[in-house]
Amino acid sequence: MPRVPNGVEPYHPVQDFDLRVAVLHVPGTADPVGHAVVQAVLYWRQLSGHLWWKRWGDPSQTAIVDLFLGGEELEWFLEAQELEACIAQWARGQWVEDDDATGHRVYDATWLSAHESDVVAQRDLNYDLAGLRRARHLR
């Protein structure tokens, strides 16, 4: 995957949630029921070629989401319209889970600051967000 020239990525609204933790609550309750972690990823599709002569398409903004809910960890990849819909929900302080087994559930989402996210991710989720940030800056 080629890097963005000069390491500058164009702004996308998902970057407001990048490497941050959302604390999830059942509406009307104070006790957290889970957490979510969002990683914004600039994704390039390989159009042709192999080894050193690859041809790449235009980059698109995507996200990898890790959901820690009910003692389980789920991970999924969001792109295009699905990502845009999620960003709108997150901006409203909601987390919507559509699952074949559990149905449609809406949680209140409280987004933590970068520092708070680092602390909660390390303490509660065994997830090193600060390390991910450092690794991105080393590329």
Side-chain angles (χ1 to χ4, degrees):
M1 170 181 347
R3 292 176 37 185
V4 177
N6 299 325
V8 177
E9 294 182 11
Y11 173 77
H12 189 278
V14 74
Q15 293 169 347
D16 294 338
F17 304 97
D18 185 33
L19 296 178
R20 289 180 55 201
V21 172
V23 180
L24 306 180
H25 303 267
V26 173
T29 66
D31 294 331
V33 294
H35 297 86
V37 179
V38 175
Q39 292 182 58
V41 179
L42 195 58
Y43 184 76
W44 300 71
R45 292 192 194 283
Q46 181 179 340
L47 300 177
S48 64
H50 64 284
L51 298 175
W52 62 91
W53 61 277
K54 295 176 183 168
R55 191 166 67 87
W56 301 94
D58 291 332
S60 61
Q61 188 67 60
T62 63
I64 298 171
V65 177
D66 290 301
L67 179 65
F68 301 87
L69 190 63
E72 293 185 37
E73 179 183 351
L74 305 170
E75 180 178 279
W76 69 94
F77 183 75
L78 299 173
E79 59 183 329
Q81 291 86 7
E82 186 179 21
L83 177 60
E84 299 301 323
C86 288
I87 291 168
Q89 294 163 358
W90 301 341
R92 288 192 307 266
Q94 292 180 325
W95 190 275
V96 178
E97 180 190 14
D98 289 319
D99 185 357
D100 295 336
T102 61
H104 179 83
R105 291 188 180 164
V106 178
Y107 298 96
D108 290 338
T110 303
W111 290 93
L112 304 179
S113 70
H115 175 70
E116 293 169 327
S117 293
D118 290 349
V119 171
V120 169
Q122 186 70 47
R123 183 189 67 214
D124 298 343
L125 310 174
N126 197 26
Y127 209 98
D128 186 12
L129 294 179
L132 287 172
R133 277 192 196 88
R134 282 191 301 275
R136 283 183 180 179
H137 292 292
L138 294 176
R139 286 193 257 163

